Amino acid sequence: MEIQKWQRLSSKYLVREKWATLRVDTCDLQNGRIKDDYYVLEYPNWVNAIALTQDHKIILVRQYRHAGDIVSLEVPGGVIDGDELPETAIKRELLEETGYTFERAELIATLYPNPATANNVTYTYLLRGGIKTDDQHLDEHEILNVEEYTIEEVKQLLIDNKIDQALHSAALFYGLMKLGVLQ
């Protein structure tokens, strides 16, 4: 059987906030059944960076994540603002979070964080040759440390399951594959 997209018959918004919107859809499935309570979280799209400094260190950030109640080691990134292009967003996020500037960004992966319940996309970029040009300019509620790791150290962090955020682990695997350093 060929899998087909469901047909959305109607939508009702239950929550509309800056960082999350919740709607409930009524859908016609391809088998003739009607699903009348499919909940969808609408989030803005995100960007993640595999960012290498001029001396080939990978930039990671460490910060507290309240929903998971963890201090998390992650790749830099964040929310795409409005109609901002993803490449523009990742360069802005890197400058704000780390103070590093990059001339070029190469899109290496487009991932859906959880397409079963959320509608957003995460764009993962590989950036090379980063230069520290500025201080951090963090958002009001951001508290994070910038850390640099060798490629071998990042590989070991992944082996040891020290990157807790699934999208960030995936981003690092894509980045390491693109760099040709996975065996």
Side-chain angles (χ1 to χ4, degrees):
M1 169 182 17
E2 181 183 344
I3 303 297
Q4 298 175 4
K5 292 182 178 182
W6 296 357
Q7 298 302 310
R8 186 171 17 160
L9 302 175
S10 66
S11 292
K12 177 183 173 185
Y13 284 94
L14 304 175
V15 176
R16 282 188 178 204
E17 296 293 333
K18 179 179 179 180
W19 295 109
T21 297
L22 176 63
R23 73 171 201 256
V24 61
D25 291 346
T26 299
C27 298
D28 185 354
L29 286 57
Q30 75 182 72
N31 62 4
R33 293 192 176 148
I34 302 295
K35 177 72 173 153
D36 61 2
D37 61 349
Y38 200 93
Y39 292 87
V40 177
L41 291 164
E42 295 181 1
Y43 291 114
N45 291 333
W46 303 326
V47 287
N48 284 338
I50 306 306
L52 278 80
T53 64
Q54 279 189 325
D55 60 348
H56 305 289
K57 298 274 181 86
I58 295 178
I59 299 170
L60 298 177
V61 295
R62 191 177 303 272
Q63 60 188 317
Y64 175 70
R65 294 299 193 179
H66 182 69
D69 194 29
I70 60 171
V71 175
S72 181
L73 185 59
E74 304 175 349
V75 299
V79 171
I80 298 173
D81 291 338
D83 293 333
E84 185 178 37
L85 294 173
E87 184 174 335
T88 303
I90 197 56
K91 290 177 180 178
R92 175 187 49 75
E93 284 288 341
L94 279 164
L95 185 61
E96 289 173 3
E97 289 187 359
T98 70
Y100 277 81
T101 302
F102 296 83
E103 288 184 21
R104 254 184 8 103
E106 177 185 2
L107 180 65
I108 59 171
T110 302
L111 303 169
Y112 290 81
N114 186 357
T117 59
N119 70 337
N120 65 322
V121 176
T122 299
Y123 301 95
T124 300
Y125 284 88
L126 175 63
L127 300 97
R128 304 176 204 223
I131 301 169
K132 179 80 169 166
T133 59
D134 208 344
D135 293 328
Q136 289 176 306
H137 297 283
L138 301 174
D139 292 338
E140 171 183 14
H141 298 109
E142 277 185 312
I143 302 169
L144 60 86
N145 293 333
V146 177
E147 302 177 10
E148 296 179 6
Y149 293 86
T150 66
I151 289 172
E152 288 306 312
E153 289 170 331
V154 168
K155 287 166 61 175
Q156 193 61 50
L157 287 167
L158 289 165
I159 290 167
D160 294 341
N161 195 31
K162 298 295 185 189
I163 307 294
D164 298 315
Q165 219 281 21
L167 286 172
H168 296 219
S169 293
L172 286 165
F173 277 113
Y174 277 103
L176 295 173
M177 281 192 310
K178 184 70 177 179
L179 294 169
V181 296
L182 288 184
Q183 298 178 19

